[in-house]
Amino acid sequence: MSGWMSYFTGKKDTRESARDAIVGLRQNLLMLEKKEEFLQKKIDEEMKKAKANATTNKRLAMNALRQKKAHENELDRIAGQRLTLETQVNAIESANLNAETMAAMKKGADALKGIHSNLTAEGVDATMDKIREQMDLTNEISDAISNPVGMGIVLDEDDLKDELEALEQEQLDDRLAGADRVPSHLPASPVGQTTGRAPVQEEEDDEEAQLRQLQAELAM
């Protein structure tokens, strides 16, 4: 599209101009490379000629060395030109890359500006407050639903402890009352005779031992 616009307006797009410049410079570099190959070939030929006539025809050998030197000077000049052209190519490519990067960054900045045009810090805070409010309401509803009907009675732990202590005291009183009714001793049975009361005596002794232990624990 930019090529058609530049055709009608007579103005070239910056990217198109950079591309044309790089193409032209690379074409010149190819031409210089061919020239270098030709000169290097001539240098090798003159060097071979000088070596062949170094002892038999010194004049011809000297002329060959002069031609060789001229070709080497021309080769050095072309090498300098190549370096200049390559430097220009690198500079244009780098500048073109920078321009493309800046254009992309500008588009990104414009996109961010468009996105943030309808966003403000106050609006974001208000939205977050609404979200928190709805989340709190959701949690309250979830808690209400998770509690079964009629199970929301709050029990007093102190009342439960008092009731438990009353039960313990009642059991203790019953045991103490039972201990008062137990005979302190039984008449001894004649030797060799069983009265059938030995199991009763053992049971009573166990109750007395338990009563003494319970009294000792209460005294502590």
Side-chain angles (χ1 to χ4, degrees), residues 27-42:
Q27 288 177 349
N28 282 305
L29 283 172
L30 291 174
M31 183 180 64
L32 291 176
E33 287 178 2
K34 293 180 180 180
K35 184 67 174 177
E36 282 180 331
E37 292 176 359
F38 173 77
L39 289 174
Q40 187 62 50
K41 185 177 180 181
K42 296 297 290 184

Side-chain angles (χ1 to χ4, degrees), residues 1-12:
M1 183 66 181
S2 60
W4 285 103
M5 291 298 295
S6 62
Y7 176 79
F8 288 110
T9 60
K11 295 181 180 180
K12 285 189 175 183

Side-chain angles (χ1 to χ4, degrees), residues 125-193:
D125 291 338
T127 301
M128 294 304 298
D129 290 338
K130 291 180 181 178
I131 293 174
R132 295 188 189 97
E133 181 180 353
Q134 294 302 316
M135 290 299 297
D136 293 338
L137 179 59
T138 300
N139 292 333
E140 291 178 2
I141 294 174
S142 299
D143 292 340
I145 294 174
S146 62
N147 289 327
V149 178
M151 296 298 292
I153 301 174
V154 179
L155 299 178
D156 190 348
E157 294 292 333
D158 293 335
D159 292 341
L160 295 178
K161 290 180 180 179
D162 294 340
E163 185 175 355
L164 178 61
E165 290 177 359
L167 291 174
E168 291 176 349
Q169 186 64 39
E170 182 178 352
Q171 291 181 0
L172 178 61
D173 293 341
D174 292 342
R175 290 185 179 183
L176 291 175
D180 292 339
R181 293 193 296 271
V182 175
S184 60
H185 64 279
L186 293 174
S189 298
V191 177
Q193 296 183 359

Side-chain angles (χ1 to χ4, degrees), residues 64-131:
L65 290 175
R66 291 190 187 98
Q67 289 295 326
K68 171 181 167 295
K69 187 63 176 178
H71 294 322
E72 288 177 344
N73 292 335
E74 182 67 14
L75 189 62
D76 292 339
R77 186 177 65 83
I78 291 176
Q81 291 177 352
R82 278 193 60 192
L83 180 60
T84 301
L85 293 178
E86 288 174 351
T87 302
Q88 283 186 313
V89 170
N90 292 333
I92 293 173
E93 289 178 342
S94 178
N96 193 40
L97 179 60
N98 291 337
E100 294 288 343
T101 302
M102 289 301 299
M105 292 175 66
K106 185 178 183 302
K107 289 182 180 180
D110 293 339
L112 287 174
K113 184 178 180 181
I115 294 172
H116 291 156
S117 61
N118 296 324
L119 294 177
T120 60
E122 293 79 6
V124 172
D125 291 338
T127 301
M128 294 304 298
D129 290 338
K130 291 180 181 178
I131 293 174

